[in-house]
Amino acid sequence: QGDVNMAVPPPAPYEEALPPPPFAGAMWIRGYWGWADGRHEWVPGRWETARPGYRYRSPAWVRDGRGWRLSPGGWTRR
């Protein structure tokens, strides 16, 4: 979703029930509140294959001088 700035804070985190892992070694990527069509929208969590030498950073809302900014997540090298 890239960087999104707005004055509206995100809702409280949504507690997802984790479904059973689809395969051995699956890593849960938690859901987050995204921004679409002028409103917050829940992006559900998902299972992914872990990537050796990388860690996953979840998208996060950060308050800055202009309001709230959605910092995209993704895989980063350790």
Side-chain angles (χ1 to χ4, degrees):
Q1 288 188 351
D3 276 355
V4 175
N5 283 286
M6 83 284 305
V8 180
Y14 180 75
E15 292 297 323
E16 292 182 286
L18 271 66
F23 52 88
M27 179 180 161
W28 178 251
I29 304 294
R30 66 186 173 118
Y32 65 96
W33 287 106
W35 185 259
D37 299 324
R39 64 183 179 86
H40 287 99
E41 182 176 275
W42 184 252
V43 178
R46 65 193 186 279
W47 291 104
E48 281 199 16
T49 302
R51 299 180 185 183
Y54 288 80
R55 70 175 186 84
Y56 186 81
R57 184 177 50 87
S58 296
W61 287 96
V62 179
R63 188 173 181 114
D64 66 18
R66 297 173 294 173
W68 290 89
R69 177 177 55 85
L70 178 59
S71 176
W75 293 96
T76 57
R77 204 176 270 286
R78 290 183 193 228

